[in-house]
Amino acid sequence: MSLESKELVVVTGKGGVGKSSVAAALGVVMARNGRRVLVLEIDPRESVHQMLAAPPSDGEILQVAPNLYLQNLQPRQVLDQVVRERLRFEAIIHRVLESPIYQHFTEGAPGLKEMAILGHCLLLVEGKVPGAAKFDTVILDAPATGHGVSLLAAPLLVSDVIRQGPIAHMTADVAAFISSPERSGVVVVTLAEEMPVSEAIELRQLMHERLDRRPDLLVINALYPPVDDDADDDDDPLTALWVQRRSLNERELARLDEHWVGERLELPLLPVGQGPALTEALAARMEGS
Ligand SMILES: Nc1ncnc2c1ncn2[C@@H]1O[C@H](COP(=O)(O)OP(=O)(O)O)[C@@H](O)[C@H]1O
Ligand SMILES: [Mg+2]
């Protein structure tokens, strides 16, 4: 997989499509292949820990397996953390974090939280997060709010607004980091359903127009199994449901054939609940691909 050598893999997609599941499984695969991996979840509803059989990270970096770590952060925590990482003197840090101007500014400034998230990723792979080792790869389970493009376009936005000081410095570094196809990659996760597929196609288009980048991988998650020729949906409601759902999937797969150029991976809908067993099963499919 071409993602193997990246320092940052941004996993994006509409909420509920399996973004966190894919990020966790990808983390398992890459860690087994010898890379030191951190799965970073930005979501107030923490779920990656369950998928990796670990307790909630509560903002800390937590080892969950050999080579595999996780961290859950709220966007606001990330920004505070970046301020801490950049301003080394306790007294100043408190003054900045407590100041109403900072609070007001961080809520209002477009792209600043997103910028902080990417900045934190960069510090992690550079080994510059105090108390944390250097990571080979950060897998970013991107926030479900907004478009993946707004995350990736954040350095552009922020550099328009802030031209001096530590944030401006970081912005230039982060912009270089995420515009490098050698260093960073983007995985788009979708279901083979009408809305998520439309959004995935739109995301691809926007990435191309605004960032001159293409996603490295499309994951089509939770596909119903292909229907056997002899499946008879006349009198069995379960079979009828399966045939109907699969045909919806196939219609969307055909639409993707038309509008999506590039590598893709299909993952089945598995009869397994959220947890390490599902993560293992998805990882096995990724490894086999
Ligand atoms: N391929 C799959 N087969 C079965 N269940 C899945 C699959 N992918 C995801 N799920 C389940 O769907 C739910 C949503 O997945 P999750 O990864 O949390 O989505 P997101 O992070 O995009 O909101 C979870 O309960 C997860 O266990
Ligand atoms: Mg999630």
Side-chain angles (χ1 to χ4, degrees):
M1 206 189 303
S2 62
L3 293 171
E4 280 290 317
S5 58
K6 310 267 194 237
E7 291 170 275
L8 173 66
V9 178
V10 179
V11 182
T12 158
K14 216 173 140 62
V17 296
K19 209 159 37 74
S20 299
S21 305
V22 167
L26 196 57
V28 167
V29 172
M30 288 173 95
R32 280 194 192 136
N33 289 345
R35 289 183 75 85
R36 194 182 168 85
V37 181
L38 176 82
V39 180
L40 176 62
E41 179 183 35
I42 312 289
D43 194 331
R45 282 164 308 167
E46 186 165 0
S47 66
V48 170
H49 68 286
Q50 271 178 330
M51 299 170 179
L52 295 172
S57 103
D58 215 14
E60 302 300 317
I61 294 176
L62 202 78
Q63 180 162 19
V64 296
N67 276 335
L68 186 58
Y69 298 75
L70 77 83
Q71 183 179 30
N72 173 283
L73 284 178
Q74 322 262 331
R76 179 51 197 269
Q77 273 181 304
V78 187
L79 199 55
D80 293 353
Q81 185 155 330
V82 169
V83 170
R84 279 197 193 91
E85 283 154 2
R86 291 276 158 168
L87 306 175
R88 290 289 152 78
F89 303 102
E90 250 347 276
I92 304 181
I93 293 171
H94 281 293
R95 289 229 307 273
V96 172
L97 294 182
E98 301 306 323
S99 99
I101 293 175
Y102 171 78
Q103 311 250 353
H104 177 77
F105 183 65
T106 54
E107 289 309 317
L112 198 56
K113 281 181 189 160
E114 289 83 356
M115 196 35 235
I117 293 169
L118 296 172
H120 180 60
C121 294
L122 179 58
L123 293 174
L124 285 162
V125 299
E126 286 179 339
K128 290 184 185 159
V129 173
K134 182 181 179 308
F135 290 94
D136 297 319
T137 301
V138 172
I139 298 176
L140 174 61
D141 178 4
T145 47
H147 237 303
V149 171
S150 56
L151 175 75
L152 296 167
L156 298 174
L157 263 178
V158 172
S159 64
D160 271 354
V161 183
I162 306 173
R163 294 175 192 277
Q164 282 177 348
I167 302 246
H169 243 268
M170 187 177 80
T171 303
D173 293 349
V174 170
F177 180 44
I178 64 157
S179 59
S180 158
E182 286 77 38
R183 301 188 70 189
S184 62
V186 176
V187 174
V188 177
V189 185
T190 187
L191 302 173
E193 289 175 9
E194 190 172 344
M195 287 297 289
V197 164
S198 295
E199 289 206 13
I201 292 169
E202 190 191 5
L203 174 61
R204 185 175 194 282
Q205 189 70 27
L206 282 173
M207 267 183 72
H208 178 55
E209 286 168 14
R210 292 179 49 188
L211 308 164
D212 196 23
R213 289 215 48 184
R214 284 162 192 78
D216 298 74
L217 178 67
L218 174 70
V219 175
I220 308 164
N221 188 32
L223 285 165
Y224 281 80
V227 174
D228 309 332
D229 286 340
D230 56 357
D232 180 4
D233 57 348
D234 283 347
D235 37 42
D236 175 11
L238 272 185
T239 310
L241 178 67
W242 166 35
V243 169
Q244 195 263 350
R245 290 278 135 182
R246 177 67 197 186
S247 91
L248 287 181
N249 281 171
E250 279 172 9
R251 191 182 70 197
E252 297 307 320
L253 286 170
R255 205 147 69 90
L256 284 166
D257 282 341
E258 223 176 290
H259 297 285
W260 194 282
V261 184
E263 210 177 320
R264 51 159 115 169
L265 171 67
E266 297 185 5
L267 294 174
L269 177 63
L270 293 166
V272 184
Q274 176 172 310
L278 178 61
T279 310
E280 266 309 320
L282 295 176
R285 263 138 177 127
M286 286 178 183
E287 271 171 332
S289 72

